[in-house]
Amino acid sequence: DAGITQSPRHKVTETGTPVTLRCHQTENHRYMYWYRQDPGHGLRLIHYSYGVKDTDKGEVSDGYSVSRSKTEDFLLTLESATSSQTSVYFCAISGPTSAPYEQYFGPGTRLTVT
Amino acid sequence: GNSVTQMEGPVTLSEEAFLTINCTYTATGYPSLFWYVQYPGEGLQLLLKATKADDKGSNKGFEATYRKETTSFHLEKGSVQVSDSAVYFCALSLLDGSGNTGKLIFGQGTTLQVKP
């Protein structure tokens, strides 16, 4: 199994509070991704990173920001949590081949915004 | 735009039955195609992949063939087991002018339940 951990695994927070989710990898892979999983929508890409300090938006990036200050960590921040951000969040990594399309997923974080 | 459409679930089968989960896609160019599986309470695991037309991906008794003519990548297994109960996701890799972007587009997932 790819060495990917996510923390916390479960979190309940109130509307309007900031929340940060952490993804940590031990594989030294270049690419990292944040997805959210909601019933009927499959997985949707929030943000991704193609290297330290290099990030870009996915299809559902509004209300989220990311940071990657070192290869192994990719942080997702909900700047002011809303109930619509209640979801399961997955981190994924890929690499080190030249065609980085095969992704490996972490165990997920279940976030509930009340 | 780019999209993946899977058959709606849940799919309920008896053990040893034949499985087909349909997947069709819309994409620019020739993306790579994937099937991922998610067991309860876990993240997604790559099940199989195909990178060009007519390629067949296979793993753990599952197979899927990349059909460019019908833009399809249907998942099949000849004899399912209770342990195959999971959610299955079809996905494609997004392409830009220089090739793969590293980004995937997922279908909505199909739940498979296998009964003894």
Side-chain angles (χ1 to χ4, degrees):
Chain A
D1 289 345
I4 312 169
T5 57
Q6 293 184 230
S7 59
R9 295 292 314 277
H10 302 271
K11 185 169 182 67
V12 180
T13 191
E14 293 184 350
T15 298
T17 60
V19 176
T20 295
L21 308 182
R22 180 183 184 232
C23 176
H24 179 77
Q25 59 145 330
T26 59
E27 306 297 318
N28 200 35
H29 283 188
R30 177 182 174 189
Y31 295 81
M32 299 185 76
Y33 310 83
W34 277 108
Y35 293 90
R36 58 179 290 173
Q37 182 178 26
D38 304 290
H41 290 277
L43 272 76
R44 292 180 291 176
L45 182 65
I46 304 171
H47 282 280
Y48 68 104
S49 169
Y50 43 92
V52 174
K53 298 192 189 307
D54 289 326
T55 65
D56 206 348
K57 296 179 179 180
E59 63 177 307
V60 290
S61 59
D62 287 348
Y64 302 95
S65 61
V66 291
S67 65
R68 191 168 178 202
S69 59
K70 46 187 178 178
T71 299
E72 57 265 36
D73 289 326
F74 192 33
L75 304 180
L76 176 71
T77 297
L78 288 64
E79 293 140 10
S80 177
T82 67
S83 58
S84 64
Q85 294 176 311
T86 293
S87 187
V88 180
Y89 291 85
F90 287 99
C91 174
I93 64 175
S94 69
T97 66
S98 60
Y101 42 75
E102 191 168 314
Q103 297 184 14
Y104 302 94
F105 284 79
T109 294
R110 183 173 296 276
L111 176 68
T112 302
V113 183
T114 61
Chain B
N2 300 289
S3 66
V4 176
T5 301
Q6 293 181 230
M7 63 186 290
E8 288 192 21
V11 174
T12 303
L13 296 174
S14 298
E15 206 165 24
E16 300 184 2
F18 185 87
L19 168 70
T20 299
I21 299 179
N22 290 337
C23 171
T24 57
Y25 67 90
T26 302
T28 304
Y30 306 107
S32 296
L33 301 173
F34 307 85
W35 277 101
Y36 281 83
V37 59
Q38 183 180 32
Y39 299 103
E42 298 184 9
L44 277 70
Q45 302 174 25
L46 179 64
L47 181 59
L48 53 84
K49 67 179 181 182
T51 58
K52 59 183 186 297
D54 299 325
D55 267 2
K56 177 184 285 187
S58 61
N59 186 26
K60 300 180 180 180
F62 291 89
E63 294 183 339
T65 301
Y66 189 163
R67 302 288 188 196
K68 182 165 68 77
E69 299 80 9
T70 55
T71 62
S72 65
F73 192 54
H74 304 320
L75 182 68
E76 297 181 335
K77 186 176 185 183
S79 176
V80 293
Q81 305 300 312
V82 172
S83 58
D84 293 326
S85 298
V87 182
Y88 293 81
F89 292 92
C90 185
L92 64 81
S93 58
L94 282 180
L95 303 177
D96 62 15
S98 60
N100 279 304
T101 64
K103 294 190 283 187
L104 298 179
I105 295 289
F106 287 86
Q108 72 270 33
T110 302
T111 299
L112 171 65
Q113 183 178 22
V114 181
K115 297 186 174 180

